[in-house]
């Protein structure tokens, strides 16, 4: 079931929506912001949105940035699209692997980091690029990545 | 110096213009003119006469698109205007600049466009990753409401408009305009069958226009300065300016607003500073991941819709990706198809299954495990995924770099297969 706070925030979003279902991505994001991921408890949110639990799950599983499985405390999204690939995506992936011991799709055993691939971040003139949580990092090199990881430890 | 209406007011430090600064630079004059002196049909006519074509990739004439919206008392309500700010095509980063640098230019364009089709509600459909743009646009929308450029009875004109931001949650397909409508309705974002077209039956079944950020950012300038001025901005058959971009191993990757129709060579050499030392030009994808590769012989092609098409590719988003001689072209083709295979929404079988297959064959060839017959299979897939076989343009777009790559990188493909390894590794 959603917590009172989640419920309050979802109701806030519903005020802006022409139809309740239109707020479902916002509702999923609210749950994810509170819990880090969207557990099976989304089924309890569906009613607020005039949706069946399966309809809501169908939307949740459609999006790459709604997590239906637990992720680490920090999510590292590494752009693997063409400009970043040309400019050194593999260096980024390898450096993360060396420092964290994980590749794309994996979470560190201490639950601190999850690394995920993401499509073009719209920062191709500063490739290679990645995001950590909501923060965008550009012109990545091995050393830059070490510095960035330090900030999150 | 050529005029740069879209970017002339951007500050060098990229701090967005506040409403006051935007007004001081002449902002919201186009909106005043439209609301006070022009009927919605007048605005439509000016935009039609400007010959503005959509900057989202397909190049559809904007005025013509608007003309399909039912007008008058009997038109279904509410009507919607949507700004497509999903910008997820690999290699494309132009809309970000416009939203982060001058949000009110976009808002003014949206309000005028909404007035032209008599929309009641407008949305900005923004991709998840654009956190800074989201914050800047939120603030700009609040300022616009405070100053009665949005809301009820806008600056005393009798016209009213609400505006909301919807931030998405990933998936390239959400930028396809009918998938975008499903996304906004809170459904799985698969495209819709057309017809009916969104102009008549769009968001929640009501008339809806979807336009790109750059398209909409042009509107206030067209209304203020007139269609004749807009036509005169460019020496080529296509009008206005274009935000061009270059990424890859060039000296100065970046974005430039230039008259529509500059040559690829001018962009690469004068603006992007040429190739980095030690790298040679090999090929270019002119307008984002879903456009055909062009080769050295095409460097003098003009970057306008007609000229790029004649050369066998598409202007697309006008943001080009340069492939250098130290980058394996088969690896590049594979990277592009990994993207398309991953982002396919899975709605139609040729796209869902075909792209996965294409991706795996290219992976095998890249790893030196390809067979001579593979090239034929790839050619066959280009036909199967071509226009007319799928619900949306993702699949035809995905095979554009493939079919052109099969031609211009033929030697390289055959060499990978023959030598059973990647010569670049
Ligand atoms: C798979 C796919 C993704 C698309 N993504 C975008 C996008 O992110 N932004 C955009 O403006 N248009 C995108 N388009 C094009 C839109 O469907 C639509 O043509 C465009 O938003 C219309 O705006 P315009 O007429 O101003 O160009 C995409 C098309 C397809 C097939
Ligand atoms: S072509 Fe691909 S992306 Fe488009 S609707 Fe079909 S499966 Fe979905
Ligand atoms: S390709 Fe990585 S940011 Fe565009």
């Amino acid at each position: 079931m959603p917590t009172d706070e989640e419920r309050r925030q979802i109701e806030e979003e519903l005020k802006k929506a022409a139809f309740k279902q239109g707020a479902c991505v916002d509702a999923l994001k609210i749950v994810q912001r509170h819990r880090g991921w969207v557990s099976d408890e989304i089924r309890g949110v569906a009613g607020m949105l005039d949706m069946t639990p399966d309809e809501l799950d169908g939307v949740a599983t459609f999006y790459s940035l709604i997590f239906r499985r637990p992720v680490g405390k920090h999510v590292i999204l590494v752009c693997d699209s063409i400009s970043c690939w040309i400019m050194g995506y593999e260096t980024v992936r390898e450096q993360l692997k060396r420092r964290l011991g994980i590749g794309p799709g994996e979470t560190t055993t201490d639950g601190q980091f999850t690394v995920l691939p993401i499509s073009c971040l719209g920062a191709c003139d500063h490739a290679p690029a990645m995001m950590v949580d909501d923060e965008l990092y550009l012109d990545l090199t091995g050393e830059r990545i070490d510095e960035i990881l330090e900030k999150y430890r | 110096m050529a005029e740069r209406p879209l970017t002339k007011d951007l500050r060098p430090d990229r701090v967005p213009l506040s409403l006051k600064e935007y007004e001081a630079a002449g902002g919201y004059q186009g909106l005043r003119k439209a609301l006070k002196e022009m009927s919605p049909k007048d605005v439509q006519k000016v935009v039609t006469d400007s010959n503005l074509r959509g900057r989202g990739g397909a190049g559809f004439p904007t005025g013509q698109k608007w003309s399909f919206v039912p007008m008058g008392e009997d038109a279904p309500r509410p009507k919607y205007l949507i700004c497509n700010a999903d910008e997820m095509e690999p290699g494309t980063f132009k809309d970000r600049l416009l939203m982060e640098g001058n949000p009110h230019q976009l808002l003014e364009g949206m309000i005028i466009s909404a007035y032209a089709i008599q929309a009641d509600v407008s949305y900005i459909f923004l991709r998840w990753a654009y956190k800074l743009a989201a914050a800047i646009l939120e603030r700009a929308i609040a300022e616009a409401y405070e100053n009665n450029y949005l809301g009820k009875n806008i600056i005393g004109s009798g016209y009213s408009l609400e505006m909301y931001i919807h931030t998405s949650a990933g998936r390239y397909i959400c930028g396809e305009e009918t998938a975008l409508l499903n996304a906004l309705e809170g459904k799985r974002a698969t495209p819709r069958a057309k017809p009916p077209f969104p102009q008549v039956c769009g968001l929640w079944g009501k008339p809806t226009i979807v336009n790109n950020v750059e398209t909409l950012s042009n509107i206030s300038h067209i209304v203020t300065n007139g269609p004749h001025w807009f036509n005169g901005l460019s020496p080529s058959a296509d009008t206005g300016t274009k935000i061009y971009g270059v990424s890859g191993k060039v000296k100065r990757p970046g974005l430039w607003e230039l008259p529509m129709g500059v040559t690829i060579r001018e962009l690469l050499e004068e603006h992007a500073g040429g190739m980095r030392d030690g790298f040679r030009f090999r090929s270019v994808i002119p307008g984002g991941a879903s456009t055909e590769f062009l080769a050295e012989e095409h460097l003098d092609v003009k970057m306008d819709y007609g000229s790029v098409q004649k050369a066998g590719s598409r202007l697309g988003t006008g943001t080009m990706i340069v492939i250098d001689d130290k980058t394996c072209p088969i690896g590049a083709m594979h990277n592009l198809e990994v993207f398309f295979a991953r982002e396919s929404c899975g709605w139609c079988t040729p796209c869902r299954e075909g792209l996965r297959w294409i991706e795996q064959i290219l992976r095998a060839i890249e790893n030196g495990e390809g067979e001579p017959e593979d090239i034929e299979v790839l050619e066959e897939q280009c036909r199967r995924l071509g226009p007319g076989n799928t619900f949306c343009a993702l699949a035809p777009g995905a095979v554009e770099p493939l079919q052109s790559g099969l031609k211009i990188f033929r030697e390289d493909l055959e060499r990978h297969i023959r030598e059973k390894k990647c010569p670049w590794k």
Side-chain angles (χ1 to χ4, degrees):
Chain A
M1 272 316 191
T3 62
D4 288 347
E5 180 58 16
E6 286 167 342
R7 190 175 282 280
R8 195 190 60 72
Q9 290 183 5
I10 293 170
E11 267 155 15
E12 211 47 45
E13 287 297 328
L14 285 172
K15 284 190 201 146
K16 290 188 265 170
F19 295 86
K20 289 184 173 174
Q21 186 170 348
C24 78
V25 176
D26 299 299
L28 291 167
K29 284 187 187 163
I30 288 167
V31 173
Q32 182 158 299
R33 206 177 308 132
H34 284 278
R35 305 166 189 233
W37 65 295
V38 174
S39 65
D40 285 342
E41 296 199 27
I42 52 163
R43 305 185 83 79
V45 178
M48 294 180 74
L49 301 161
D50 281 350
M51 296 169 81
T52 66
D54 286 347
E55 277 172 342
L56 184 59
D57 202 14
V59 174
T61 52
F62 187 84
Y63 287 104
S64 52
L65 294 162
I66 298 294
F67 307 132
R68 281 291 274 117
R69 283 198 286 167
V71 290
K73 186 155 159 242
H74 302 291
V75 177
I76 304 178
L77 298 162
V78 186
C79 174
D80 64 356
S81 291
I82 185 75
S83 306
C84 289
W85 178 81
I86 293 171
M87 301 304 288
Y89 155 75
E90 272 166 46
T91 313
V92 178
R93 193 190 55 198
E94 289 313 310
Q95 188 70 4
L96 288 171
K97 173 123 205 171
R98 209 168 303 137
R99 291 289 173 252
L100 302 174
I102 55 170
E106 295 172 349
T107 300
T108 52
T109 42
D110 63 2
Q112 281 296 303
F113 296 100
T114 296
V115 175
L116 293 173
I118 191 160
S119 301
C120 180
L121 287 168
C124 325
D125 51 345
H126 290 284
M130 71 180 191
M131 282 179 88
V132 184
D133 303 332
D134 287 353
E135 209 59 49
L136 177 65
Y137 294 98
L138 305 169
D139 300 308
L140 297 174
T141 58
E143 299 94 85
R144 273 283 285 148
I145 286 169
D146 290 349
E147 284 165 27
I148 293 163
L149 289 178
E150 272 317 305
K151 295 195 352 191
Y152 292 89
R153 281 188 195 275
Chain B
M1 174 104 184
E3 279 188 80
R4 296 181 293 115
L6 295 176
T7 54
K8 68 174 176 353
D9 297 326
L10 295 192
R11 294 164 44 142
D13 60 5
R14 292 287 160 82
V15 173
L17 268 71
S18 68
L19 186 127
K20 289 282 158 280
E21 289 167 319
Y22 181 66
E23 284 179 328
Y28 286 110
Q29 288 307 319
L31 178 66
R32 286 177 191 281
K33 182 172 170 186
L35 293 183
K36 301 254 150 101
E37 298 167 25
M38 298 166 81
S39 71
K41 282 281 178 198
D42 291 339
V43 179
Q44 288 196 17
K45 179 154 183 354
V46 167
V47 172
T48 304
D49 291 346
S50 76
N51 295 306
L52 171 66
R53 295 177 64 170
R55 306 297 198 231
F60 196 84
T62 306
Q64 195 186 340
K65 184 189 268 191
W66 294 0
S67 73
F68 300 127
V69 174
M71 299 294 286
E73 291 293 306
D74 305 332
R77 296 301 265 266
K79 294 194 257 184
Y80 297 99
L81 177 98
I82 300 172
C83 170
N84 191 343
D86 200 44
E87 190 156 77
M88 275 187 72
E89 173 104 351
T92 304
F93 48 104
K94 66 186 180 69
D95 296 339
R96 176 203 282 276
L97 173 80
L98 292 172
M99 291 186 284
E100 290 181 355
N102 200 350
H104 283 289
Q105 174 173 262
L106 173 61
L107 263 48
E108 184 182 4
M110 285 181 68
I111 302 164
I112 297 172
S113 307
Y115 172 73
I117 59 160
Q118 290 289 291
D120 306 279
V121 183
S122 57
Y123 289 95
I124 300 176
F125 189 96
L126 186 67
R127 71 172 296 189
W128 170 92
Y130 283 3
K131 303 286 177 188
L132 180 60
I136 288 170
L137 288 167
E138 290 281 2
R139 197 171 327 122
I141 290 174
E143 282 180 316
Y145 269 105
E146 279 158 27
N147 287 271
N148 194 217
Y149 291 129
L150 280 170
K152 297 263 175 301
N153 190 17
I154 295 173
I155 52 171
S157 65
Y159 175 64
S160 303
L161 180 72
E162 302 298 326
M163 187 179 289
Y164 303 100
I165 299 182
H166 173 93
T167 51
S168 191
R171 297 308 290 273
Y172 170 60
I173 193 61
C174 294
E176 195 279 341
E177 64 181 14
T178 58
L180 184 154
L181 299 177
N182 279 340
L184 270 180
E185 291 185 10
K187 299 178 181 144
R188 282 173 79 86
T190 49
R192 297 177 181 176
K194 290 181 265 188
F197 290 92
Q199 293 93 315
V200 181
C201 178
L203 193 61
W204 289 296
K206 298 293 197 274
T208 304
I209 285 292
V210 181
N211 274 133
N212 171 259
V213 172
E214 187 183 351
T215 312
L216 291 164
S217 295
N218 272 296
I219 300 296
S220 64
H221 303 289
I222 293 172
V223 166
T224 305
N225 301 310
H228 187 71
W229 164 84
F230 195 74
N231 280 282
L233 288 176
S234 141
S236 90
D238 292 310
T239 58
T241 61
K242 178 79 194 73
I243 313 265
Y244 292 108
V246 180
S247 65
K249 294 220 166 93
V250 292
K251 289 209 177 90
R252 290 191 302 271
L255 294 165
W256 303 271
E257 181 183 12
L258 297 165
M260 185 67 97
V262 297
T263 64
I264 299 176
R265 190 186 299 281
E266 181 184 332
L267 264 169
L268 285 183
E269 287 171 10
E270 287 179 32
H271 301 284
M275 298 302 291
R276 284 193 189 180
D277 295 336
F279 294 91
R280 278 194 36 235
F281 174 91
R282 180 81 204 275
S283 173
V284 66
I285 310 174
S290 61
T291 61
E292 278 99 340
F293 287 97
L294 293 175
E296 196 144 17
E297 72 205 68
H298 296 119
L299 281 176
D300 293 307
V301 168
K302 290 196 173 82
M303 286 286 280
D304 58 46
Y305 297 96
S307 307
V308 183
Q309 186 146 24
K310 221 159 65 220
S313 187
R314 279 190 312 121
L315 179 65
T317 60
T319 44
M320 59 173 75
I321 306 147
V322 178
I323 311 287
D324 58 87
D325 62 335
K326 303 234 161 59
T327 295
C328 171
I330 313 309
M333 285 166 71
H334 178 234
N335 176 277
L336 292 166
E337 300 307 328
V338 168
F339 165 79
F340 288 112
R342 184 165 78 202
E343 298 293 343
S344 164
C345 80
W347 194 237
C348 15
T349 311
C351 175
R352 182 184 62 241
E353 303 291 323
L355 286 173
R356 183 55 61 200
W357 201 10
I358 289 168
E359 185 266 300
Q360 286 172 3
I361 293 174
L362 286 170
R363 180 195 304 269
I365 298 177
E366 194 191 357
N367 291 339
E369 293 155 4
E371 305 289 338
E373 308 81 75
D374 286 344
I375 295 181
E376 267 166 61
V377 178
L378 291 174
E379 280 169 344
E380 162 81 17
Q381 286 302 314
C382 289
R383 286 190 293 276
R384 285 183 190 271
L385 271 70
N389 299 327
T390 54
F391 263 105
C392 88
L394 184 141
V399 294
E400 287 185 29
L402 179 63
Q403 66 200 11
S404 52
L406 288 175
K407 286 196 206 95
I408 67 175
F409 305 130
R410 189 66 164 218
E411 275 289 303
D412 304 292
L413 275 161
E414 286 170 356
R415 197 165 153 210
H416 277 77
I417 294 171
R418 197 172 55 239
E419 296 179 4
K420 299 206 176 300
K421 68 177 186 56
C422 174
W424 276 266
K425 276 188 184 142

